[in-house]
Amino acid sequence: MIRMSDPTERTDNAVAAVPTSPQEWRDFLERYGERYLKSCADDDELVDLLDEDQLDAFDRGERVSVWLGEAPAREEALVASEERLGVRFPPSLRGFFLASDGWAHLDAWVEGVHPCGRVSWMRDGDAGMRVTEIYESIPGNEDDVQLFRRTVEVARGEDFWLLDPTDVGPDGEWAAYEFAPKYGNPTKFPSFSALFHSGYDEDEDEGEDLA
């Protein structure tokens, strides 16, 4: 039986102290890119991401800066996405899109953050509908199905990143979830930025602090 346990909640201050404005996001994502090169990228990916001079510098152990994101979203594109969904995105998600309209370098289970034009209700996406139907067919999962039906999907791979516009904090941020259908164990975060930040907070391979 697929059954979600009570969501694990991550609300500690270290995770909460994360970017909101476009400039804060850009600064963070630049540091994120440096760490990604050091701790995540394999040799083939390094060749794709870096030019010859950068590769030589990287091999020498020098600091290499690379932008792994996209161009910033235009405000009108962001507003169009909000109008399509009937919501106004929370501050940290808006700030992210105004710094980078999507992101393709996360972990093995989430391929990347969608550009704002592809953000959708989980219930409307093909993958989200399949997961919802499976959970709906199993008695006892009513609360889980309601979570799927009310959340916005902002990233997906094997796992989902979801935001809940019905659960809003005093700072205007929506509760965020990392959800693995294979295990049925969503982890709750206080905001999109806390969720994005979490994987690299937990990466102890490098001593560099991203915060």
Side-chain angles (χ1 to χ4, degrees), residues 91 168-174 190-191:
V168 183
D171 55 0
E173 294 292 342
W174 301 355
S191 67

Side-chain angles (χ1 to χ4, degrees), residues 38-173:
K38 294 178 181 179
S39 63
C40 298
D42 60 24
D43 290 343
D44 289 340
E45 192 171 14
L46 287 172
V47 170
D48 290 337
L49 293 173
L50 303 178
D51 62 30
E52 189 171 328
D53 290 340
Q54 289 174 316
L55 280 171
D56 289 342
F58 185 81
D59 289 340
R60 292 193 299 267
E62 297 176 10
R63 184 175 183 176
V64 176
S65 296
V66 60
W67 180 250
L68 300 179
E70 304 294 338
R74 296 174 65 87
E75 177 68 26
E76 52 264 39
L78 194 53
V79 170
S81 296
E82 293 174 325
E83 291 178 347
R84 171 173 54 84
L85 296 169
V87 300
R88 180 176 173 81
F89 293 143
S92 66
L93 185 63
R94 288 191 116 259
F96 170 82
F97 284 133
L98 292 173
S100 181
D101 192 13
W103 192 264
H105 300 276
L106 293 170
D107 60 36
W109 311 115
V110 179
E111 294 172 1
V113 178
H114 304 321
C116 66
R118 285 183 50 209
V119 171
S120 65
W121 296 104
M122 181 184 179
R123 61 181 183 255
D124 292 338
D126 291 342
M129 283 192 290
R130 286 195 298 272
V131 170
T132 301
E133 288 171 358
I134 291 170
Y135 274 71
E136 194 170 28
S137 70
I138 302 169
N141 285 328
E142 292 80 8
D143 290 345
D144 307 339
V145 171
Q146 288 303 311
L147 176 67
F148 303 153
R149 293 193 182 283
R150 69 176 183 259
T151 49
V152 170
E153 177 192 304
V154 295
R156 180 171 56 80
E158 185 172 325
D159 295 351
F160 292 79
W161 281 7
L162 306 170
L163 301 183
D164 184 356
T166 71
D167 186 354
V168 183
D171 55 0
E173 294 292 342

